[in-house]
Amino acid sequence: MGPIGTDHRWDAFGPFHDYILSSFPNVHATLALTKVNTYGLIYEWKGSDDSLKPLLLAAHQDVVPVNPDTVDEWTHPPFSGHFDGELLWGRGTSDDKNGLIGILSTVETLIENGFKPTRSVVLAFGFDEETSGLFGAAKLADYLLENFGENAFAMLVDEGGKLPWPLEHPCKVECILGDYMIEHGKAFATPGIAEKGYLDVRVEVESPGGHSSVPPPHTTIGILSALLVHFEANPYTPRLGRGTPIYQKSLCLAAHAPGLPLDLRRALQNAVKSDKALRAAEKLLFQDRMFKSLVGTTQAIDLIQGGVKTNALPESAWAVVNHRIATDSSLDEVKEHDTNLLKDLASEFNLSYTAFGEDITGQDKPAYGKLRLSDAWGAGLTPAPITPTDKDAAPYQLLAGTIRATYNAHRGGDDVVVSPGIMSGNTDTRYYWKLTPHIFRYNHHYTGNSTLFQDIHTVNEFIAVDAYIEMIKFFTILILNADESTSL
């Protein structure tokens, strides 16, 4: 996307803003609205007590595109918002219009019923979360920091995750990270208290060109291929670390999921004090590829380019390796790992080697070609700070109580376990770390015994309207609880 004002694809948000204005008249009559970078929306619902830190609710306006080749596969047109009496169909119903419209519906209804907050409520709606939030949340964060300051908010709630784990494990254990579902007769709610880091590593090889009728032993494409094969032959070694959100979630399963296999339950229960038991639990859990990926740093070769013509030796070839960095790792660790991984091959192919701006081999050494590693887009992201969840962490305790109260009000009983988890990807909260240490990725999106993984970002995205109504109840109870809290 080009800059706002020159790339007219951004103009799609204009009609959407008109829709919000007409659909939520009380919101616009009561809350102060600021537009940031044209399409970013900040609403401030001023409370009567300025000494209380505001509650910050976030969501994003944008959705992923619909592949034109798949339109005929949709049960109902992807942008129709079709309601069949039970399900609401369309792109964005699960990610993230349910959260955005749910928040606005909540505030509209509270105003209609005469509620006036004591604690201010701020709404922050970005518009390019699906493309890393560079124009949206990044600018909203600047505005919020300038006008409210660092650590100015009591807590922040943004969209939740929708990635199940483990689906392939022989034990058939399933749960959802970020929202909640029924697992073996027990409801588990899993607010995301952290996010993995992110790094795209560009691997680029250069060598002399020439006519392909007189080829060298290895072209840049051949060398690059060897490097990439070496990447895949040496994946990162994951470890289930004590204190990580996934470890905490595993312990909650051991304590509360009645269908968990006995050997796994015992290993997890003993893992608190026994390294041997921790490794045994890890071995069982790592049989599932998805769980293993959530725990450790991952790598995936997603882009490759090289050559311009069949009779011309390629003077350069490059690829991009995507990394999702474990919550207990760092950007520096990933850079060091990748740098060391290719040292021997750089020497074998007689390449000068620079990695992330550091000269590894020495530029004055004669070499056939060059190997460079770099941050592909300059957008490397360290793992998010982990939100406090101990008994003295008032925001987490308030959120957990809100989840239980919502479940009880909508479904009856209090049979829901609240457990920390992580997001499977990154959200707009990547820009909001300075605003509060209490960041939660959670929308209270109930999925029953199924998951959203098979339909989110693909054909036939939907939400059950009953689940959507429960989300509105969650946001309502959250605002009311935060307003009455004396511990935030």
Side-chain angles (χ1 to χ4, degrees):
M1 300 284 281
I4 293 169
T6 61
D7 190 329
H8 294 293
R9 288 175 291 180
W10 296 111
D11 297 346
F13 291 104
F16 180 58
H17 289 184
D18 293 340
Y19 166 81
I20 293 176
L21 180 64
S22 62
S23 298
F24 303 101
N26 289 311
V27 169
H28 286 86
T30 307
L31 277 64
L33 170 62
T34 302
K35 291 194 174 185
V36 179
N37 203 14
T38 306
Y39 297 117
L41 303 177
I42 296 285
Y43 290 92
E44 184 179 2
W45 195 4
K46 192 70 174 175
S48 58
D49 189 345
D50 288 337
S51 69
L52 300 177
K53 290 185 176 182
L55 171 66
L56 179 58
L57 303 178
H60 62 88
Q61 305 169 54
D62 56 310
V63 299
V64 297
V66 172
N67 183 343
D69 296 336
T70 67
V71 170
D72 292 341
E73 300 175 28
W74 286 72
T75 302
H76 303 284
F79 292 100
S80 66
H82 181 82
F83 177 48
D84 63 10
E86 180 180 354
L87 305 177
L88 183 63
W89 299 84
R91 175 62 81 235
T93 50
S94 291
D95 184 15
D96 176 40
K97 288 295 181 16
N98 54 356
L100 189 148
I101 301 299
I103 291 169
L104 288 171
S105 297
T106 297
V107 174
E108 182 78 8
T109 303
L110 285 170
I111 295 171
E112 285 179 355
N113 285 273
F115 175 72
K116 296 180 179 179
T118 303
R119 182 187 304 275
S120 294
V121 180
V122 177
L123 316 180
F125 299 150
F127 57 90
D128 59 344
E129 189 273 346
E130 300 292 357
T131 52
S132 298
L134 299 173
F135 293 95
K139 303 299 182 183
L140 294 176
D142 291 341
Y143 174 87
L144 291 169
L145 282 169
E146 182 180 346
N147 288 273
F148 291 88
E150 291 192 20
N151 196 24
F153 293 91
M155 59 190 294
L156 162 62
V157 179
D158 196 4
E159 63 173 325
K162 304 163 182 73
L163 180 62
W165 67 272
L167 293 181
E168 301 169 357
H169 194 278
C171 304
K172 302 300 182 186
V173 181
E174 293 184 355
C175 75
I176 197 94
L177 294 180
D179 289 334
Y180 86 103
M181 68 177 290
I182 303 298
E183 305 173 45
H184 306 283
K186 195 74 173 178
F188 278 83
T190 315
I193 63 165
E195 294 181 2
K196 281 190 166 187
Y198 184 100
L199 180 64
D200 285 321
V201 175
R202 181 182 173 105
V203 185
E204 186 171 10
V205 178
E206 293 182 3
S207 69
H211 200 285
S212 63
S213 63
V214 189
H218 306 286
T219 69
T220 55
I221 293 176
I223 295 172
L224 178 64
S225 299
L227 300 176
L228 299 181
V229 167
H230 193 60
F231 259 105
E232 293 198 337
N234 294 275
Y236 285 73
T237 302
R239 284 287 181 263
L240 184 61
R242 292 187 182 93
T244 62
I246 297 299
Y247 172 79
Q248 295 179 56
K249 173 62 180 181
S250 300
L251 293 188
C252 284
L253 282 174
H256 300 287
L260 202 68
L262 185 59
D263 57 344
L264 179 56
R265 185 189 307 278
R266 286 176 175 170
L268 286 168
Q269 289 172 337
N270 292 327
V272 177
K273 296 182 178 180
S274 167
D275 290 343
K276 183 179 179 180
L278 180 61
R279 299 285 79 86
E282 179 184 271
K283 184 176 180 180
L284 289 169
L285 289 167
F286 284 7
Q287 293 177 39
D288 177 74
R289 176 177 58 86
M290 192 170 289
F291 180 86
K292 189 175 181 180
S293 294
L294 284 171
V295 170
T297 296
T298 60
Q299 58 185 30
I301 303 165
D302 292 330
L303 291 175
I304 189 167
Q305 181 70 49
V308 294
K309 203 170 186 295
T310 57
N311 63 354
L313 296 175
E315 294 166 332
S316 68
W318 59 267
V320 175
V321 184
N322 173 253
H323 296 283
R324 304 301 173 115
I325 305 172
T327 57
D328 53 353
S329 184
S330 67
L331 271 173
D332 287 341
E333 282 188 11
V334 172
K335 291 178 179 180
E336 182 180 3
H337 173 277
D338 287 6
T339 299
N340 292 333
L341 183 66
L342 301 185
K343 279 183 178 179
D344 289 344
L345 284 176
S347 176
E348 179 182 334
F349 289 111
N350 189 22
L351 304 174
S352 66
Y353 185 18
T354 58
F356 308 104
E358 181 182 355
D359 181 5
I360 306 300
T361 57
Q363 293 297 317
D364 55 346
K365 182 180 178 180
Y368 168 70
K370 298 178 181 179
L371 169 62
R372 281 194 298 270
L373 300 189
S374 62
D375 182 339
W377 326 114
L381 180 69
T382 191
I386 296 178
T387 298
T389 59
D390 56 72
K391 61 181 178 63
D392 296 323
Y396 181 76
Q397 299 304 328
L398 184 140
L399 179 72
T402 297
I403 292 169
R404 288 190 288 267
T406 305
Y407 185 90
N408 181 48
H410 193 78
R411 304 195 177 274
D414 57 358
D415 189 31
V416 60
V417 176
V418 182
S419 169
I422 69 169
M423 282 290 294
S424 57
N426 296 113
T427 66
D428 278 343
T429 61
R430 74 183 77 183
Y431 299 105
Y432 299 151
W433 297 348
K434 292 182 179 180
L435 297 175
T436 175
H438 304 287
I439 298 176
F440 305 100
R441 298 94 176 160
Y442 186 81
N443 270 357
H444 201 75
H445 187 169
Y446 177 73
T447 60
N449 292 302
S450 64
T451 73
L452 297 172
F453 189 54
Q454 63 268 34
D455 64 76
I456 191 170
H457 283 201
T458 186
V459 172
N460 284 332
E461 188 176 347
F462 73 91
I463 186 172
V465 168
D466 180 70
Y468 176 59
I469 292 172
E470 187 175 1
M471 286 179 63
I472 294 175
K473 289 183 178 179
F474 165 76
F475 286 121
T476 302
I477 296 172
L478 177 64
I479 291 173
L480 295 177
N481 282 347
D483 200 68
E484 295 179 6
S485 174
T486 57
S487 58
L488 290 183

